[in-house]
Amino acid sequence: MRRTPGRGMIAAMLIAHEGCSPTVHPSAYVAPTATLCGDVRVGAGCRVLFGAVLTAEGGPVELGEGCIVMENAVLRGTRRDPLVLGRQVLVGPTSYLTGCRVDDEVFLATGSRVFNGALIGARSEVRINGIVHLRTVLPADSTVPIGWVAVGDPVRVLPPEDHEGIWAVQKDLDFPGYVFGLDRPAEGESLMPAVSERFGRALGRHRDDRQV
């Protein structure tokens, strides 16, 4: 942690990763316990609150003007899919966003989850604990109700208990292949040894990070 010159306040944890350091617009506020790692770009008037983590895992994280990222949210850019928020987007507490694009004036409520390759259209709402699944396109002015799941393109918005309906779309979206570059395992076999090895190797690049 470091002190911001002339202001007498503790600054956020800013970490250089793979040759890139975070940039924060002078009019933005980033809380002292937030962490920004790598190619993270925080735009004018943004607010990143306590415990939030913005991490560029091979791809940038970009916040447009006036975005608000609430407490303990996690935003992750990936090598395949940068994470980009448009203008005036609110990301609620404990939300998790990875490798997705969110257009202007979107509300992502507490505990929302948005996965790799997803696109959320302008003025949409993902309500408490709502999910926008892998490679899903949610059109402008859409709503995902509390706890429901948006999946596919064209999108279907389904209640969480409709496992069969969700899986019918989700299976062809190929989460293991798209995210980890792995084939889905045969019945009775586990994907996790290969995921652990491959994902762990990628995350190991943080060993060379340094605080800025």
Side-chain angles (χ1 to χ4, degrees):
M1 306 284 274
R2 58 186 175 81
R3 291 191 176 275
T4 303
R7 298 186 65 184
M9 61 182 293
I10 298 176
M13 181 71 74
L14 304 180
I15 299 173
H17 176 63
E18 297 192 322
C20 295
S21 298
T23 59
V24 179
H25 191 276
S27 65
Y29 168 74
V30 180
T33 57
T35 299
L36 279 55
C37 179
D39 188 7
V40 175
R41 311 161 195 173
V42 178
C46 290
R47 305 290 183 257
V48 180
L49 298 188
F50 300 91
V53 176
L54 282 60
T55 180
E57 303 288 351
V61 174
E62 183 174 348
L63 275 57
E65 182 179 351
C67 288
I68 297 173
V69 179
M70 299 291 286
E71 293 87 352
N72 299 315
V74 176
L75 281 65
R76 184 185 304 274
T78 72
R79 197 170 298 277
R80 185 169 191 168
D81 294 301
L83 192 150
V84 180
L85 304 187
R87 296 161 55 96
Q88 284 88 44
V89 173
L90 191 150
V91 180
T94 71
S95 294
Y96 178 79
L97 283 62
T98 179
C100 59
R101 286 187 168 266
V102 180
D103 286 345
D104 298 346
E105 301 172 25
V106 168
F107 175 59
L108 304 175
T110 299
S112 53
R113 304 286 185 260
V114 186
F115 288 96
N116 306 63
L119 171 62
I120 298 182
R123 301 174 302 281
S124 293
E125 295 186 11
V126 180
R127 294 181 176 165
I128 296 170
N129 293 331
I131 295 171
V132 180
H133 222 298
L134 178 87
R135 301 166 69 185
T136 292
V137 177
L138 193 65
D141 301 300
S142 297
T143 298
V144 179
I146 293 173
W148 282 42
V149 180
V151 59
D153 179 21
V155 69
R156 297 183 68 192
V157 182
L158 300 169
E161 63 270 17
D162 187 2
H163 173 74
E164 291 186 3
I166 295 168
W167 180 241
V169 183
Q170 180 190 344
K171 183 177 181 180
D172 289 339
L173 296 177
D174 187 21
F175 193 99
Y178 190 85
V179 176
F180 299 114
L182 296 169
D183 294 330
R184 197 178 298 279
E187 187 174 352
E189 297 181 358
S190 173
L191 186 68
M192 291 314 300
V195 168
S196 179
E197 190 277 330
R198 183 167 296 193
F199 199 31
R201 185 172 63 245
L203 292 173
R205 294 195 295 269
H206 285 289
R207 287 178 299 209
D208 298 323
D209 291 357
R210 60 180 179 81
Q211 189 175 347
V212 296

